[in-house]
């Protein structure tokens, strides 16, 4: 039996939902660059990339709040909204200047599509930013839908976000898997009744093995096998491939 035939038997008609930042695309360089631009506009010092990289997984406002605090100028409720707007506007101008898919993403998405899986993006990033990023890095055509936080009843870790993404592509929640990198992905999947896979190379600040995913993988190339495993059985939490 060929590998593709085996994969088709396991994944044809299944839905695979993907987080975006830290899972499909390494967006930290452009997000940190945009943050440092805003800091400079406010006469604050730039932050070292390695100090900020893991801050980028919680959305624009959280990144700005933590970045400004680290730069010695904590944001209050009045200052934050206009700065978030400026940040997003600037980020759009450089959304894929340095961002790129993680190794293996294009190969795996091609393989999953060939196997007949339905692919959807389920991200707390705004939908318009997600579409722009995916188009800029030539990934948009792989997905049947992109469901950002503003396109769902509530954002991850609310299970309705994951459920809405699966429904958007005509998927069956009983034949779905969530792929992500953070606690929001693991909890969002759990709250939707969907098994989850977390990658270890994303932006979580906690050890990925402690976040309650059904599987933890260290290479995107392991996604197909992980999906086959989860759709075939119910493994113990935190199993390693």
């Amino acid at each position: 039996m060929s590998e593709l035939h085996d994969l088709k038997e396991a994944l044809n008609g299944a839905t695979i939902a993907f987080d975006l930042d830290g899972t499909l695309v390494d967006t930290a360089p452009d997000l940190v660059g945009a943050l440092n631009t805003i800091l400079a506009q406010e006469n604050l010092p730039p932050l070292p990339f390695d100090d900020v990289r893991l801050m980028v997984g919680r959305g624009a406002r959280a990144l700005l709040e933590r970045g400004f605090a680290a730069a010695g100028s904590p944001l209050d409720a009045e200052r934050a909204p206009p700065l978030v707007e400026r940040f997003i506007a600037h980020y759009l101008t450089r959304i894929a200047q340095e961002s790129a898919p993680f190794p293996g993403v294009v190969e795996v998405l091609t393989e999953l599509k060939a196997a007949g899986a339905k692919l959807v993006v389920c991200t707390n990033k705004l939908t318009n930013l997600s579409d722009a990023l995916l188009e800029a890095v030539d990934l948009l055509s792989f997905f049947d839908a992109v469901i950002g936080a503003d396109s769902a009843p509530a954002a991850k870790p609310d299970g309705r976000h994951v459920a809405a993404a699966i429904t958007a592509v005509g998927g069956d929640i009983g034949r779905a898997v969530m792929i992500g990198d953070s606690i929001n992905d693991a909890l969002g999947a759990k709250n939707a009744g969907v098994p989850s896979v977390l990658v270890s190379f994303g932006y979580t600040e906690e050890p990925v093995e402690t976040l309650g995913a059904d599987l933890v993988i260290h290479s995107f190339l392991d996604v197909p096998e992980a999906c086959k495993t989860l759709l075939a059985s119910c493994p113990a939490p935190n199993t390693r491939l």
Side-chain angles (χ1 to χ4, degrees):
M1 183 181 294
S2 70
E3 287 187 15
L4 180 56
H5 185 275
D6 184 44
L7 200 61
K8 282 183 176 179
E9 283 201 340
L11 301 184
N12 186 37
T15 302
I16 306 175
F18 292 89
D19 178 52
L20 180 50
D21 298 68
T23 300
L24 290 167
V25 183
D26 185 6
T27 52
D30 287 309
L31 286 164
V32 174
L35 169 64
N36 279 331
T37 295
I38 301 301
L39 289 174
Q41 291 172 354
E42 297 296 307
N43 298 312
L44 293 169
L47 298 173
F49 177 79
D50 288 343
D51 291 354
V52 188
R53 178 182 179 271
L54 296 184
M55 295 183 186
V56 306
R58 299 186 182 182
R61 179 159 181 153
L63 175 60
L64 283 172
E65 288 175 343
R66 299 183 69 191
F68 271 73
S73 181
L75 292 180
D76 57 33
E78 185 177 343
R79 289 179 69 202
L83 285 171
V84 171
E85 289 186 12
R86 279 168 49 196
F87 172 86
I88 290 174
H90 178 69
Y91 177 57
L92 268 171
T93 69
R94 58 168 299 155
I95 199 162
Q97 185 173 307
E98 297 178 77
S99 299
F102 284 105
V105 166
V106 172
E107 296 90 333
V108 166
L109 295 181
T110 300
E111 186 177 14
L112 295 175
K113 290 288 280 188
K118 301 173 182 179
L119 308 185
V120 60
V121 173
C122 178
T123 173
N124 281 353
K125 205 182 193 80
L126 295 174
T127 304
N128 69 318
L129 293 178
S130 302
D131 285 338
L133 172 62
L134 289 164
E135 184 171 17
V137 297
D138 295 323
L139 294 182
L140 187 59
S141 62
F142 286 106
F143 297 99
D144 301 297
V146 177
I147 308 299
D150 55 323
S151 299
K156 296 176 296 183
D158 195 302
R160 289 175 293 171
H161 193 172
V162 177
I166 295 166
T167 299
V169 297
D172 177 356
I173 204 162
R175 287 257 305 150
V177 178
M178 177 75 211
I179 314 293
D181 71 314
S182 74
I183 187 65
N184 283 341
D185 300 313
L187 284 179
K190 182 178 181 180
N191 291 335
V194 171
S196 64
V197 179
L198 293 187
V199 301
S200 64
F201 47 79
Y203 302 144
T204 181
E205 295 177 82
E206 303 84 11
V208 70
E209 292 83 2
T210 69
L211 302 182
D214 295 287
L215 290 174
V216 172
I217 60 175
H218 307 290
S219 167
F220 205 87
L221 294 173
D222 291 329
V223 164
E225 192 63 33
C227 290
K228 285 172 57 180
T229 298
L230 292 178
L231 290 169
S233 62
C234 184
N238 299 325
T239 305
R240 284 174 171 269
L241 286 182

